[in-house]
Amino acid sequence: MLVGGEGTRLRPLTYGTPKPMVPIVNVPFLARTMERLFTAGIRDVILAAGYMPQAIVDYLGDGSRLGMKVTYAIEDTPLGTAGALKNVEPHITGPFFVLNGDILTSLDLPAMREYHECKGGIGALHLIRVDDPSPFGCVVHDANGKVSAFIEKPPKGEEPTNEINAGTYLLEREILDFIPAGRKVSIEHETFPQVIAAGKALYAYTTDDYWLDLGRPEQYLAAHRDILSGTMPLLVELGITGEGREALLGHPGVVPPVHAAGDVVVDASARVGPNVVLGSGCSIGAGAVIRESVLWDRVSVGSGAVIEQAILASRVTVGPKAQIGAGSVVGHDFSIEPGAMIEPASRLGSPG
Ligand code: GTP
C-alpha cells in the first residue's frame, strides 16, 4: 500500500495527520482499508511510507492486533509510485496487489485476482468509468482488455476514453525488473508505458464499483455523504449512528444521517445534520447549526455558531456566533474568534 504522499491538497488537515490516518466516519482511513484487505483474505501488508510514518507505525504496529502482518518500508526521500515498489522488492515473493492509500472503493479484490489469473499477463489494472476523465490518467485498451496506452490528464474534449486508472493493481513480480532502483519513478508515467512498449500484456479490469479518490477536501466531504447515505456500503446501519448516538436519539434538532463518536454533548437547542460526523468529545453549544460537515475529536462549537460544508480537525474551537463559509478546512488546534465571518473555501491552520 502506497502511503508515502504528503497529501498537500488536503492541507491543513495533513499538517498534523498523514493522509492514511485522516478519519473517515471516525475511524482512520487506513484501518478501513486494512479491514477491506482482511476481508479479501490478505494477511501480509507492506506499507510504503515516508511522510509522518510514526503516526502510522504507532497506530498499526506489527499488525497483530488485526490478525495481519504489517511490514514498513520508510522512504527518506519520496521514491514515487513505482520507486516505492522497487524499494520493497526483497519482501515480494509472488503476485501482489498495489493500492494507492487514498482510494475509497468497494472493489472486490478476490474477483480482480480471479480475473488476472484467467487473463494472464504481467498485471491487471483496476479502471473505473467517470463522466469527466480529464483530471485523471486515461487507460486505452482493446476489446479483450489488453492495454495499449496511458494518457495522463488529457485536455477536456480530447479524452480517448472515459475509463481511468483507479489506483489498484495486481502485478506479477516480474514488473519490478522494469523499475530502476534508487531514484524516484512514477508507475503511471514511466513503468506502465515501458512495460507496454516491451510487449508485455497489462489487462484492464473495469468495474462499476463505488470509487473516490480522497485527495481533496470536497472529495473528503463527498465520501462522508456517500457513506452516511449508504451509497458507499461501509456502515452496517444508517440514520443516527456511532457510539454517541444515545445522546442524539430523540433530539429535536438532529436531522439524520448523523454519526457521532462517544462523549459528544449537543445542546438541546442546537441543530445538527444532515450529513454530519462528530468526533469523540465534541461539544455543540446552544443554537449552533452544523450541516454537511465533519468535525474531528474534541471540537468545541460555541453558541450560535454556524458551520456548513466544512471540515474541522481535532481540538478546533469555534467562538460563539462565528460563521464558517462553505468549503472551509480548519487545521488542528485552531481557534476561531467569537463572531468571526470565515470566507467560503478558507484554509486555516499552519504546519506548527
Ligand atoms: P497530494 O500531495 O495532495 O497530491 O497527495 P499525495 O502526496 O498523496 O499524492 P497522490 O494523491 O498523487 O498519491 C497517490 C498515492 O500514492 C497516495 O496514497 C500517496 O500516499 C502515494 N504516494 C505518492 N507518492 C509517493 C511516494 O513517493 N512514495 C510512497 N511510498 N507513496 C507515495
Side-chain angles (χ1 to χ4, degrees):
M1 198 188 313
L2 300 171
V3 292
E6 282 190 39
T8 50
R9 291 164 299 156
L10 270 188
R11 286 177 184 166
L13 301 175
T14 44
Y15 282 140
T17 305
K19 193 155 59 170
M21 293 300 294
V22 160
I24 295 291
V25 192
N26 282 322
V27 175
F29 181 55
L30 182 60
R32 301 221 176 260
T33 309
M34 295 296 284
E35 203 178 295
R36 194 159 69 86
L37 294 175
F38 187 90
T39 306
I42 292 165
R43 298 288 180 271
D44 200 344
V45 179
I46 305 164
L47 292 181
Y51 177 70
M52 299 185 76
Q54 200 54 43
I56 299 173
V57 177
D58 288 347
Y59 182 75
L60 278 186
D62 63 2
S64 51
R65 189 167 50 91
L66 303 174
M68 297 165 94
K69 178 176 164 234
V70 177
T71 308
Y72 299 91
I74 296 173
E75 298 157 33
D76 294 332
T77 52
L79 290 171
T81 45
L85 304 182
K86 188 70 177 175
N87 193 39
V88 301
E89 188 168 18
H91 299 292
I92 295 177
T93 53
F96 59 106
F97 279 106
V98 178
L99 273 69
N100 275 3
D102 52 359
I103 301 294
L104 179 67
T105 179
S106 57
L107 172 66
D108 179 343
L109 294 169
M112 182 167 174
R113 183 176 178 165
E114 266 176 43
Y115 175 83
H116 174 58
E117 283 167 359
C118 165
K119 284 287 183 186
I122 199 167
L125 317 182
H126 179 220
L127 308 188
I128 206 96
R129 294 184 195 90
V130 293
D131 292 337
D132 176 14
S134 62
F136 299 102
C138 291
V139 182
V140 183
H141 62 82
D142 67 16
N144 190 31
K146 193 169 172 201
V147 175
S148 57
F150 290 85
I151 320 267
E152 279 295 315
K153 301 186 177 59
K156 232 181 161 67
E158 291 176 31
E159 303 92 343
T161 168
N162 66 347
E163 290 177 55
I164 60 151
N165 177 354
T168 302
Y169 322 123
L170 176 52
L171 303 173
E172 292 294 328
R173 199 174 183 281
E174 184 195 351
I175 203 159
L176 300 173
D177 298 342
F178 287 84
I179 308 172
R183 73 163 171 91
K184 193 168 185 173
V185 187
S186 158
I187 200 160
E188 302 87 349
H189 293 97
E190 288 181 62
T191 311
F192 286 151
Q194 280 167 11
V195 164
I196 298 176
K200 299 284 177 186
L202 275 174
Y203 285 97
Y205 181 62
T206 307
T207 74
D208 294 323
D209 282 288
Y210 180 89
W211 182 88
L212 193 69
D213 166 351
L214 292 169
R216 289 183 285 115
E218 308 85 272
Q219 293 159 328
Y220 179 77
L221 283 179
H224 280 82
R225 215 170 36 238
D226 292 343
I227 293 168
L228 292 175
S229 66
T231 305
M232 163 65 192
L234 199 121
L235 293 178
V236 188
E237 275 178 77
L238 300 177
I240 299 175
T241 53
E243 255 180 70
R245 68 195 288 266
E246 293 301 327
L248 305 183
L249 287 171
H251 186 300
V254 172
V255 181
V258 169
H259 187 278
D263 302 324
V264 296
V265 177
V266 178
D267 187 274
S269 61
R271 281 183 284 154
V272 174
N275 297 314
V276 167
V277 172
L278 302 178
S280 70
C282 282
S283 71
I284 315 298
V289 177
I290 307 179
R291 289 194 199 101
E292 309 283 343
S293 296
V294 178
L295 278 54
W296 295 10
D297 294 349
R298 282 176 283 150
V299 172
S300 165
V301 178
S303 55
V306 178
I307 300 170
E308 273 194 72
Q309 291 176 46
I311 308 164
L312 276 54
S314 300
R315 299 174 301 276
V316 166
T317 306
V318 181
K321 295 205 164 64
Q323 296 201 14
I324 301 186
S328 294
V329 184
V330 185
H332 300 72
D333 299 295
F334 200 88
S335 285
I336 293 173
E337 297 290 311
M341 302 281 281
I342 305 297
E343 292 282 312
S346 295
R347 300 273 184 279
L348 305 174
S350 57

